[in-house]
Amino acid sequence: MGDPVIGVYLWEPGGRQCPDFDPRHARFVAQSLDDLRSALFTWGVPLFEVESEALAFFEKACSVWGTYRVFSHQEVGNAWSFHRDVYLKGWFHDHGIDWIEWAEPGWERGLKHRLGWDQRWGQAMRQPVFACAQRAPASTWDWASHWAGGEDRPECARGAAPNFQQGGTTRALTQLDYFLANSVGSYRAHLSKPMESRDSCSRMSPYLAWGNLSLRWAFQRALTELESGQNKAGIRAWASRLHWQSHFVQKFESESRMEFEDLNRGFSSLGRAHRPDRFEAFVQGQTGYPLVDASVRCLSSTGYLNFRMRAMLVSFATHWLRLPWQSVAPVMARWFLDYLPGIHYPQLQMQSGTTGINALRVYNPIKQALDHDPQARFVQLWVPELANLPPELGLQPWTILPMEELFYGFRKGKDYPEPVVDFRSGIAFSAEWHAARKSPQVLAENRRILARHTTPDRSVNRRSRTVLKDPRQANPQHPEGV
Ligand SMILES: Cc1cc2nc3c(=O)[nH]c(=O)nc-3n(C[C@H](O)[C@H](O)[C@H](O)COP(=O)(O)OP(=O)(O)OC[C@H]3O[C@@H](n4cnc5c(N)ncnc54)[C@H](O)[C@@H]3O)c2cc1C
C-alpha cells in the first residue's frame, strides 16, 4: 500500500489579476472540477478546492502535514505562471519537498531545435493512455479541521453559463463521440464557415486547453476511427490539426517572450500604434464591417469562433486598423473559452505578420463574407441591425441607396456605423510589410527562427508531407505551410 493521495485545485488570486483572465475560464474550470471530483471519488481520492496563492498554500501545508510530495502536470502557461513555477521550484528544493511534474505528450521542455521532433511526437501519441490500476489508500485526513477556511471557490467561478460549452471530461467524451458519429463527414467543407463550423468542427478546443482530455486520447481515437474506413479524409484533416496544436505549443514553450514581443524583432518598426477609437470600435463590434462585427459579438458572447474568422479578426485589427497585436491579445484571450497561451500568441503573431517566415495573409472581410456567409445568416444573427436587409446589402450596407434606405427602414451610419477605415488600408499595409520583409534584420531573424522552430531539413519535411496518407505516419502536413 502506498501513501494516501488527495487532489487539490488552487484558485490563485494572482492568476485572476492577469489581463488574459476571464470569468468564463473560471466557470469552465469549476464545471471540470465537479466532473473530476466524481471520477476521483471512484479511485478513493478526495478533491479539494482552495483559494490561495500557491506559495502560501504550500507553506501552510508544511506546517499542517510536515512532509509531502507534490504531483502536477507540466504547464505551458503565461509569464505569470512561469515565474510562479520558477519560484516554487526553488522553494520546494530548499524545503526538501519532491515536486514530480508529468510531461504533457506533444511538446518538450527546454528544446533548442526541431530535429526529430515530428518523429518523437508520433511516438508519444502512440504510447498507451494511462489507466488507473488500483484505488488509492483511504485518506484518514480530516480536511475541515486542519484547513481553517475550508474549501473555497471564488465567486466568479460560480453560476450558470448557458451560452458557453460546459466543462468536464464526461462532456468532452460525449462531444467527441458526437463529432465522429455525425459531423466529421462535413468537417472539411464547413471548417471555414462561421455558422456551419459551430456544428461541424469538433469543438474539442476548450477540453484540450483546460486538460479535460489529453491530446493523446483524442489522437488515438482518430486512429481507431480511421480503422472503421468511413470519412477518412475528414479524420485525417482533423488529426493533423491535433499535430498543429502541439507544434504551436512547442513554439511558445521554446520562445515564450512572444507573449510580449514580436517573434521576428525586425518587424518592430512597422507602422502600428494603439488608437483608442479604433480599438473601441473593434472590441464593441462596431467597425462597420458586418462579418468582423458579427465575429466579435459572437466570440465575446459564446467564447467560440472558427479558425478562419479568428485569423480574419487578427488581420483586420493589425492590418486594417493597424493596431499592434499586443493591443488585441489580452481581450481576445479573454474572449476565447479555449484560451491556450501556447496557441494564442504564436497564432496572433503569425496572422499579424510578425514571424517573418510565414506569408502575409491580409484577409478581406468583404470577400470572406461573400465566400463563407453568402446568405448573411451569421451576420444577421449577430448584427440584428442588419437583419431586415437583403443578404447582399446586409454584407455591404454602405452600398445601400437612399431609396433602399427608405424601403428597408434602415439609416446608413445611424442604425449601423459606416466603415471605420477604408478597405484600401489593408492593401497599403501589405505593401509596407513586403518592403520591410527584405530588411537585413528581418532576414537574419528569419534564419534564427527557422533554425529554432522548424524541421532543419525542410526538403525532407516537404517530401514526407506530400506522401502522407495517414496520421499514423510520422509527419502530418505542416501547420504553417512552410
Ligand atoms: C488568433 C488565433 C488564436 C487562437 N487561439 C487559440 C487558443 O487560444 N486555443 C486553441 O485551442 N486554439 C486557438 N486557435 C486555433 C483554432 O482556431 C482553434 O483551435 C479551433 O478553431 C478550435 O475549434 P475546434 O476545437 O472545433 O477545432 P477542430 O478544427 O475540430 O480541431 C481540433 C483541435 O485541433 C487543434 N487545432 C485546430 N486548429 C488549430 C490551429 N490552427 N492551430 C493550432 N491548433 C489547432 C485544437 O486543439 C482543436 O481543438 C487560435 C487561432 C487563431 C487564428
Side-chain angles (χ1 to χ4, degrees):
M1 284 295 251
D3 295 327
V5 179
I6 63 167
V8 178
Y9 183 82
L10 290 179
W11 293 100
E12 296 165 278
R16 298 206 299 277
Q17 279 153 23
C18 293
D20 54 5
F21 168 80
D22 190 84
R24 70 188 61 188
H25 303 148
R27 286 196 298 264
F28 191 88
V29 169
Q31 292 151 5
S32 309
L33 291 173
D34 289 341
D35 194 58
L36 182 64
R37 182 169 287 112
S38 334
L40 287 179
F41 182 76
T42 320
W43 298 105
V45 177
L47 174 65
F48 300 101
E49 298 174 41
V50 181
E51 191 167 1
S52 169
E53 298 299 357
L55 182 63
F57 173 81
F58 288 115
E59 276 175 343
K60 192 166 168 185
C62 258
S63 62
V64 177
W65 291 320
T67 185
Y68 54 88
R69 280 186 295 165
V70 178
F71 297 88
S72 75
H73 76 106
Q74 270 183 356
E75 185 181 12
V76 184
N78 62 9
W80 174 84
S81 73
F82 172 76
H83 292 301
R84 177 212 47 207
D85 283 358
V86 170
Y87 190 86
L88 274 183
K89 194 168 191 163
W91 188 87
F92 284 139
H93 179 262
D94 293 347
H95 289 76
I97 294 167
D98 285 339
W99 181 16
I100 296 107
E101 284 185 287
W102 274 289
E104 291 279 307
W107 58 269
E108 299 163 37
R109 184 140 280 173
L111 206 65
K112 297 277 182 276
H113 58 72
R114 289 295 185 96
L115 193 59
W117 185 86
D118 280 323
Q119 285 70 23
R120 292 197 298 279
W121 186 88
Q123 286 158 6
M125 288 301 135
R126 286 168 187 79
Q127 294 296 311
V129 172
F130 177 77
C132 200
Q134 61 180 50
R135 276 177 70 88
S139 169
T140 53
W141 204 70
D142 176 6
W143 180 271
S145 65
H146 283 85
W147 212 267
E151 283 189 71
D152 221 344
R153 177 178 279 186
E155 198 50 45
C156 68
R158 298 168 194 263
N163 293 339
F164 296 86
Q165 283 178 263
Q166 308 285 301
T169 302
T170 309
R171 288 198 173 90
L173 295 174
T174 308
Q175 174 66 28
L176 185 54
D177 285 346
Y178 174 85
F179 168 69
L180 291 169
N182 302 292
S183 317
V184 70
S186 53
Y187 176 65
R188 288 187 308 151
H190 291 167
L191 198 54
S192 298
K193 316 259 175 244
M195 198 75 154
E196 292 84 344
S197 60
R198 302 184 79 77
D199 198 47
S200 293
C201 285
S202 72
R203 308 293 299 267
M204 280 296 111
S205 54
Y207 303 116
L208 293 168
W210 295 106
N212 290 185
L213 200 67
S214 76
L215 206 63
R216 181 186 282 158
W217 180 289
F219 185 78
Q220 293 193 5
R221 192 63 213 284
L223 295 186
T224 311
E225 286 299 313
L226 212 55
E227 304 286 338
S228 79
Q230 288 186 336
N231 300 314
K232 286 194 171 195
I235 295 169
R236 276 192 210 109
W238 184 69
S240 49
R241 277 161 182 83
L242 300 177
H243 174 261
W244 297 9
Q245 209 246 32
S246 303
H247 166 75
F248 286 106
V249 173
Q250 183 68 66
K251 211 168 177 179
F252 185 69
E253 157 65 23
S254 300
E255 201 164 350
S256 61
R257 69 172 186 84
M258 73 170 82
E259 182 176 345
F260 305 105
E261 299 168 13
D262 290 345
L263 178 63
N264 188 314
R265 297 176 181 92
F267 281 116
S268 50
S269 60
L270 269 183
R272 296 197 259 222
H274 186 76
R275 293 263 310 261
D277 54 337
R278 291 184 178 189
F279 177 77
E280 274 309 304
F282 179 71
V283 298
Q284 299 302 330
Q286 295 284 350
T287 66
Y289 285 96
L291 189 59
V292 171
D293 294 339
S295 296
V296 161
R297 296 182 199 186
C298 169
L299 176 59
S300 60
S301 305
T302 68
Y304 182 79
L305 196 64
N306 63 323
F307 171 78
R308 183 175 283 260
M309 295 303 116
R310 294 185 194 207
M312 180 195 70
L313 286 187
V314 175
S315 170
F316 187 81
T318 61
H319 306 149
W320 291 56
L321 302 181
R322 291 191 174 229
L323 298 168
W325 62 264
Q326 291 93 332
S327 293
V328 292
V331 70
M332 292 187 78
R334 295 196 293 273
W335 286 340
F336 291 140
L337 184 63
D338 58 25
Y339 169 55
L340 191 63
I343 305 182
H344 188 65
Y345 294 101
Q347 277 289 356
L348 269 167
Q349 298 235 13
M350 187 168 138
Q351 304 305 335
S352 67
T354 49
T355 66
I357 61 166
N358 305 108
L360 182 71
R361 294 196 183 94
V362 179
Y363 286 82
N364 178 338
I366 306 165
K367 180 175 186 307
Q368 293 300 316
L370 294 170
D371 287 352
H372 299 298
D373 190 30
Q375 296 308 313
R377 287 197 307 135
F378 181 73
V379 158
Q380 291 183 329
L381 179 66
W382 290 102
V383 188
E385 305 92 293
L386 305 172
N388 290 334
L389 301 179
E392 62 279 13
L393 289 177
L395 297 182
Q396 302 185 63
W398 54 88
T399 61
I400 196 165
L401 301 171
M403 179 74 94
E404 290 171 322
E405 287 189 80
L406 285 176
F407 189 75
Y408 295 113
F410 176 82
R411 294 164 305 163
K412 188 163 62 167
K414 290 202 173 69
D415 294 331
Y416 181 70
E418 299 263 25
V420 66
V421 285
D422 190 278
F423 81 94
R424 281 168 298 227
S425 60
I427 300 167
F429 178 87
S430 177
E432 282 174 43
W433 184 90
H434 279 97
R437 198 189 192 191
K438 295 185 187 122
S439 80
Q441 201 189 352
V442 168
L443 294 175
E445 278 283 278
N446 277 354
R447 286 191 288 279
R448 181 189 68 76
I449 293 165
L450 285 171
R452 178 143 206 184
H453 297 292
T454 65
T455 308
D457 184 353
R458 292 166 64 221
S459 61
V460 170
N461 195 27
R462 218 175 270 130
R463 213 167 37 241
S464 68
R465 254 181 284 146
T466 54
V467 296
L468 183 85
K469 294 282 191 299
D470 187 318
R472 284 169 292 192
Q473 293 176 27
N475 181 21
Q477 79 199 70
H478 201 280
E480 307 203 33
V482 290

